[in-house]
Amino acid sequence: MTRWLTEAVPRGRVAAFRTLIYLFVAADLVIFTPWVRTRVSVPGDLYQPLLIGRLIPLPTPTETLVTVIFWALLALALLAATGRAPRLLGWAVCALYLEWMIIAMSYGKVDHDRFGLLVALAVLPTAGRARHGDTTRTEAGGWALRVTQIAVICTYFLAAFAKLRFGGLDWLTGSVLARAIIRRGTDLADLIAQVPYLLIVAQFGIVAFELLSPVVFFLPPRWRLAMVGFFYSFHAVTIATITISFAPHLAAMTSFLPLERVRPVVWARRLVGRDALRRDASGPSGDGSAVEPASPDADPTPEPLGDQASVVGRPAGP
C-alpha cells in the first residue's frame, strides 16, 4: 500500500497540475465564487460557521476581512502558479482559500464539489519543487497526486452513500432529476424528460457509477484513463442538462491525467519556430531553395508514459 501511495510520477506532471490548480483558484475567485464578497451585507447573526470555523475559531466576516482575503488570495494564487516558493506560497494559498470556503459555506449551504480541490491545495506544498517538462520522477509528487485522486473518488462514493442514507431507495425511484429539470433544466433536459422512465434509469445509473467509482484504482493505465474520460463525460451531460458544473471537482480530477504531455508554451514556441524557418527557407527570392534545419526546441528524447500504477501489481516506472 505504501508503494502504491507514493508511486513516483514525472516532476513535469506535478508542475503542470500545480499550475492548473492555482490558476483555477484565481479563476474561481472572479468567475465561480465572486458572490462570497456579498456575504458582508448579510447580518452577522446568520453566520453559522462550519465545525472547523468553530474550533479555530474564526472571526465573523466583515467587508475589510473579505476584501483582504480576496485580493491576497488572487495575487498569491497567480504567484504560486509559476512554481516559485512552492511551500511558502502553497501553504498561504491553502489557508486563505480554506477561509474563503468557510465564509462561503457558513450560511446554510455546503457544496461537496470542492473537497478534492481543498485536498489538492493541502498536499501540493509537500510535493516540493517541480519544473515543467522534467521527466525525472518524484515520490513526494506521486503521493500528492494519489491523495488528490483518493479525495476525488471519495467525493463520488460518499455522494452515493449520502443519497441512500438520507433518501433511501426512494432516491432511486423518486422524482429527483425531474425536480432538478423543472428548477434549472435546459432544452436538452426537456427532451430527455419526455422519454418514459429514462430519468428513473438515469438515477439508478448515477448511484451505480458513484458506488463503483473506486474501481478506477484497479484498472490498468489505458482503461483508467478511459474511465476518467467517462467521469468527465458524465459531468458534461450534467452541465448540458441541469447546468451544474462541478468545476472545482473537475480541476482536481486532472490529477489522474498525464499532464506532463500538455505543454502549450512549448507547442507555441515550436509553431512560431516553424513559421520563422519557413520564411527563412523561402529566401528573399521566395524560391524555397534553402534547407529547413531542425527546430531548436525539438526534444530528442520522448517523454515516458509516466502513469501511476494501479493498486494491484507492480508499480510502473523505476
Side-chain angles (χ1 to χ4, degrees):
M1 178 60 75
T2 301
R3 295 179 65 185
W4 175 73
L5 283 172
T6 60
E7 174 63 27
V9 299
R11 292 183 184 274
R13 182 180 304 186
V14 177
F17 182 67
R18 172 181 287 147
T19 297
L20 186 150
I21 290 298
Y22 290 135
L23 287 179
F24 178 83
V25 168
D28 185 51
L29 293 174
V30 297
I31 298 175
F32 299 108
T33 60
W35 49 265
V36 176
R37 302 182 69 180
T38 66
R39 290 292 191 242
V40 297
S41 62
V42 178
D45 294 341
L46 298 179
Y47 176 69
Q48 300 294 326
L50 303 174
L51 176 61
I52 186 173
R54 299 194 299 271
L55 292 176
I56 294 181
L58 296 171
T60 301
T62 63
E63 183 174 0
T64 300
L65 175 65
V66 173
T67 300
V68 169
I69 292 175
F70 176 85
W71 289 110
L73 182 55
L74 182 61
L76 291 175
L78 292 174
L79 285 174
T82 66
R84 293 180 173 87
R87 290 182 175 83
L88 177 62
L89 292 176
W91 289 124
V93 170
C94 179
L96 288 174
Y97 190 77
L98 178 62
E99 169 63 358
W100 185 257
M101 285 294 98
I102 292 173
I103 295 173
M105 306 301 168
S106 293
Y107 291 86
K109 180 177 181 292
V110 179
D111 296 330
H112 68 285
D113 63 340
R114 297 178 180 274
F115 177 60
L117 178 63
L118 286 168
V119 170
L121 292 175
V123 297
L124 272 174
T126 68
R129 294 188 176 276
R131 182 171 53 85
H132 288 272
D134 190 349
T135 58
T136 59
R137 292 174 174 266
T138 166
E139 290 187 353
W143 180 83
L145 291 180
R146 186 69 83 192
V147 171
T148 304
Q149 293 170 3
I150 293 172
V152 167
I153 298 305
C154 283
T155 301
Y156 287 130
F157 188 83
L158 295 178
F161 177 77
K163 290 179 178 69
L164 296 176
R165 177 187 177 188
F166 296 105
L169 295 179
D170 290 339
W171 197 99
L172 300 171
T173 58
S175 57
V176 177
L177 290 181
R179 288 197 301 269
I181 290 174
I182 292 173
R183 289 177 55 212
R184 52 190 306 164
T186 63
D187 292 339
L188 175 61
D190 292 338
L191 291 175
I192 294 174
Q194 297 176 17
V195 181
Y197 301 107
L198 182 56
L199 296 183
I200 300 297
V201 172
Q203 288 168 185
F204 273 91
I206 289 172
V207 172
F209 131 69
E210 290 176 337
L211 289 175
L212 293 174
S213 59
V215 172
V216 70
F217 290 122
F218 297 88
L219 298 176
R222 289 182 183 274
W223 286 101
R224 188 181 313 129
L225 289 177
M227 190 168 183
V228 172
F230 169 77
F231 293 164
Y232 276 106
S233 66
F234 166 78
H235 289 287
V237 173
T238 303
I239 295 171
T241 53
I242 55 178
T243 62
I244 298 177
S245 69
F246 283 85
H249 178 80
L250 299 181
M253 195 157 59
T254 59
S255 57
F256 282 99
L257 304 179
L259 295 176
E260 71 276 11
R261 303 181 190 176
V262 183
R263 302 179 63 187
V265 174
V266 173
W267 295 344
R269 288 176 180 172
R270 288 176 178 173
L271 181 61
V272 172
R274 290 192 187 100
D275 291 340
L277 289 171
R278 289 193 190 98
R279 290 194 297 269
D280 293 342
S282 63
S285 61
D287 58 1
S289 58
V291 178
E292 182 176 337
S295 171
D297 290 322
D299 189 354
T301 58
E303 294 189 7
L305 177 62
D307 217 326
Q308 286 185 314
S310 58
V311 175
V312 181
R314 283 180 64 86

